Amino acid sequence: MPELWQLSVTEASRLLARREISSVALTDACLDRIAAVDGRLSAYITVTADAARRQAAAADRRLAAHRHAGSRPDPLTGVPMQVKDLLCTNGVPTTCASRMLAEYVPVYDATAVARLRAQDAVLLGKGNLDEFGMGSSTENSAFFPTRNPWDTARVPGGSSGGSAAAVAAGAAPFALGTDTGGSIRQPAAFCGITGLKPTYGRVSRYGLVAYASSLDQIGPLARDAADCALVLQAIAGHDPRDATSLPDAVPDYTAALTGDIAGLRLGVPGEYFAGGMDAGVRNSVTTAIDKLASLGAEIREVSLPTTEYALACYYIIAPSECSANLARYDGVKYGYSHQGDGDLWQAMERTRQHGFGPEVKRRIMLGAFALSSGYYDAYYRKAQQVRTLIRQDFTRVFNEVDALVSPVSPVVAFPIGERADDPLRMYLVDIYTLPVNIAGLPALSIPCGFADGLPVGLQLIGPHLAEPTLLNIAHSYQQATDWHRQRPPV
Ligand code: GLN
């Protein structure tokens, strides 16, 4: 048997239900693994070792009761997890990797976290991220950058970089991340794991600290598609506390993993293979598409002509929403407060000046500008119109194909510091992931090869609520390949 920390969610779940391993032993193995590798990776902001051991002991009691009664436990009972530090966890610091919330301890769980806790999943700790989710490399954390387990001189991607690095290194069997413009898929790609960004509204955003509310979505990062299916099953579904959560019934995601994709129509958008892509990425992705064809999928060329406007559209809408959402950090209601001499306005100014990092301030300024009188029509309203066009592009191609295949990122994990001083170069990394959020679609990132020894991600994009199709394509691919089984040397 592999080491306990190497187990996938699916394997751990089966062994736990049969009582062949205990949650306490599994949790201890993960905590030991964190202790062994996190000094080099910095994937965790907070590790909740004692609470994790208590939760594991409770899960073991529940598993024993099920065994005794001959009933089936929930699949995630006793399985350890990491949660991105942008999701509220009752009694556990939730910093958003910002000085503004460095001392903030929520008094409630995000709905997604609560649903996992209801299954007795075990919280190992909170994952590092770019401050408030704003970034693509986890270098914008106010505390420390996270390192890529495949090469610790490189970034793990972002903003859910701590989650991806932890799962890749075996420092958590799975993690919850968030994706506003690629923050689950791109770090999953950079770290060689599987990440799913669900349809907008599929998972409740209640308790997710808001970045850009019309784009934000919570989803799993795990070793493979089967694991993502189990986690999505637990967290998906309507929540009266999130007015944008979808009322649609939640299908059985694991049952969708038939491993059969014969006859499925897969579109390859020409615009996603334009210039600026690493040759190694192009090779791996092209080979993966051939593999999908050999599994019976029908490959078609399609066109998404509005792709070239997605970056500009996103970088107006996301900062606009961020400038409104982050107005709440005024040093009065909660979080960091810098008082001193002067009046209320001066205290507020100082609080925001010291509490936010440079990228967050840049976004707030961009957004406030795009929303301001005289510029609203030229920028924000225009971006909303472009958003509609991008949506219509997708709607049109999904009349012809069942899903789209593309790279996740034009590049592999880059060296720490390489893009940190050049925001535009950093923003360009998200070129293939942003359109999905703009259109509210589900998309999955799976490992599909290596370029210069670093993982490459394949993106699968589906129509509204097509998670079962996407998971099944990924699962079929993963049954026929072993890229997702490669582990970093750390
Ligand atoms: N990199 C993008 C941004 O900085 C996306 C981040 C995210 O998905 N949270 O906005």
Side-chain angles (χ1 to χ4, degrees), residues 198-211:
T199 305
Y200 182 75
R202 181 73 294 187
V203 178
S204 166
R205 290 182 294 110
Y206 179 75
L208 163 61
V209 178
Y211 161 13

Side-chain angles (χ1 to χ4, degrees), residues 227-273:
D227 285 6
C228 285
L230 287 177
V231 179
L232 181 62
Q233 199 75 51
I235 62 176
H238 182 252
D239 176 11
R241 288 179 163 135
D242 172 4
T244 62
S245 80
L246 296 170
D248 306 61
V250 178
D252 185 332
Y253 295 112
T254 302
L257 308 178
T258 61
D260 178 12
I261 56 164
L264 212 71
R265 300 161 305 167
L266 297 182
V268 179
E271 292 81 359
Y272 284 55
F273 291 81

